[in-house]
Amino acid sequence: MRVSGQRRIIALFLFTVSLYIHRLQARPYVLVLSNDDLNGGVDDNGAHEPSDFDEFGQSESKSDEELDPGSWRPIFEPNDSAVHAASPQYYSGLHKILSAATEGNTVLMEEAVSEIDSSASSGDPHAQSLMGFVYGIGMMRETSRAKSIVHHHFAAEGGNLQSKMALAFRYLRQNMHDKAVQLYAELAETSVNSFLISKDSPMVEPIRIHSGTEENKDALRKSRGEDDEDFQILVYQAQKGNPAAMYNVGLLYYFGLRGLRRDHAKALYWFSKAVDKGEPMSMELLGEIYARGAGVERNYDKAFEFLTLAANQGLYSAFNGLGYLYVKGYGVDKRNYTKAREYFEKAADNEDPSGHYNLGVLYLKGIGVKRDVRQATQYFLVAANAGQPKAFYQLAKMFHSGVGLTKNLEMATSFYKLVAERGPWSSLSRWALEAYLKGDVGKAFILYSRMSELGYEVAQSNAAWILDKYGERSMCMAVSGFCTDKERHERAHSLWWQASEQGNEHAALLIGDAYYYGRGTERDFVRAAEAYMYAKSQSNAQAMFNLGYMHEHGEGLPFDLHLAKRYYDQALQSDVAAKLPVTLALASLWVRKNYADTVMVRVLDSLPEVYPKVEEWVENVVLEEGNATILTLFLCLVTVLYLRGRQRRQVVLDPVGADVAQPLAGPVAFP
């Protein structure tokens, strides 16, 4: 009853039991602040700013390489700037590591790590960061948490922000929020500096390459970039003059979505073509591009022109860009805070989250209005619940400083982390997905492992899934070469546990299964129950069902039929898809309660021993080509014959002996 997969469904059908497949569903994030949060904060009345960051301060555009020193971008997206010239040994070693992962070449991997180690010893902070990663996962070196932390510490001191991410996540896992919050605050500010003026940040989509224990084929199909058929159709429509298609193609290139590489030149081309057709959203983004200087020379006059065109077309989000230009005095005669506020209010009145955010900034800073931290907080709260990342950043600063909200380092850390993960280092996710889609599992695993170290839950889940799914083909390397089965399972277990700590209920479920079945570890029902209890606390219906099963059989938990029923009922309340397995489980409980110490109970208890033999028979016989179809037809035939026989038994002759059969009154009841 506790296993999954199509083949096992057939086996369980033969035993007249069913499978309950857990489906991981995303829950909408809603931020609700209590009165204590709102009333406990200090209102400094403008005595000092809550942070040095000024939303409407200087907005000089910086490249991702400048924002993320030691970035892996030169390896994956090389350009003519030769930004890696300053650390040739580091980039040479990094290139060899990725090549070794692709080829499964342990000799090359040892050579690469030695080269990186030499560079780190000479003081290169980026090489030190990479050695922190090497010691953290135990790749060609003995795993050492202490050495990993030391290397990351010196790398962070030298300006490597990915090491700061790694350290911040370590501190967070240890509940050292006073240290984590300082690092995440700096990282979040860097991340915000890479955002556009009024739009969300150009975040790389975090694609989960698995759904439960299966490959997430639908999401992967939509992430094949220019090879995706839907994208090719979209380009064809754009080439035929469809303005909406032009805008969408430009959007995908501008933000680097659905597996596409970010390409400002192509985005500018398609937006310009769409503007010629009168498409308003392209007008707005052209305004953003010229105001930001993204891929073109900054031109505030053109920015104002295109944003005005978009606003005149009824695109209320464009008012945010106009408001920004009036706050700064760019592309207009002079600064006009009143007009800026009016534009932000127009956007907010039409439920644009950036409008709420920008009004929050005005009230927080007292720009053109009387400073009102309480009012600013309300605006930020609305924007955050609509998904505006910069609103989370402002709320994080308030929780951090105690200005406007009660000081709460745990909340501040969580919000800073959410924003920091949208920084330029998130490009690792794009490259990992590209490698995976090309069949380069080894390179994908290395990239997801690096992101896992930085604290990305999706990457932790993906890396663990690759280890479990691909085994030796994952190219997992340990201190003396390829990982053994035990080493792979231990690494996967650690990654699943980290993902579980960050709210991935499926991860905790898999940990419980590993202990329950003894996969990669010794069988331990007590630890399995602990993992299931953790998943149950995250409202996981499968975990509730499993806990009921363990209480029913006294495995790792006390034998208690009442508690078993309670957990089964909770599983059904949590997910209606559990109706059939819960019904069967409750029937089993009824048998145990009313026929204890009888043959029926012994038959029930024997099923787990018989099941593997049936599963093997299903695997080797039933699922052979043609056999599954024959069995299905046979079962259908048996079912029809059974129902016809049942119908004959349920007819009665009329009282006078007429040969007209009368059906029994009432519905036919099936056992």
Side-chain angles (χ1 to χ4, degrees), residues 55 60 75 84 86 90 128 179 228 239 284 326 351 387 389 406 412 446 468 495 500 525 532 538 614 618 634 646:
E55 168 63 89
E60 291 301 319
I75 300 294
H84 57 287
Y90 160 68
Q128 290 169 339
K179 291 187 176 182
D228 179 34
Q239 291 171 341
E284 181 190 11
Y326 274 107
E351 299 183 356
T406 304
I446 286 288
D468 286 343
L495 289 164
S500 173
F525 290 145
Y532 290 144
Q538 298 169 319
V614 175
V618 171
F634 175 74
R646 179 183 176 85

Side-chain angles (χ1 to χ4, degrees), residues 64-65 68-79 83-84 90-91 93-95 97-99 101 116 125-134 137 139 152 160 162-163 261 424-432 442-454:
D64 285 347
E65 288 82 0
D68 181 21
S71 168
W72 294 18
R73 187 178 301 277
I75 300 294
F76 292 94
E77 300 178 19
N79 54 44
V83 295
H84 57 287
Y90 160 68
Y91 280 106
L94 175 58
H95 185 271
I97 283 178
L98 296 169
S99 297
I116 291 293
H126 311 315
Q128 290 169 339
S129 177
L130 198 49
M131 285 306 298
F133 169 65
V134 165
I137 66 173
M139 185 174 70
H152 279 309
N160 186 285
Q162 291 189 27
S163 278
R261 291 276 178 98
W425 35 83
S426 65
S427 293
L428 289 164
S429 179
R430 179 194 295 119
W431 306 322
K443 184 180 291 183
F445 174 67
I446 286 288
L447 288 161
Y448 281 131
S449 296
R450 174 62 164 180
M451 290 191 75
S452 299
E453 183 185 43
L454 306 188

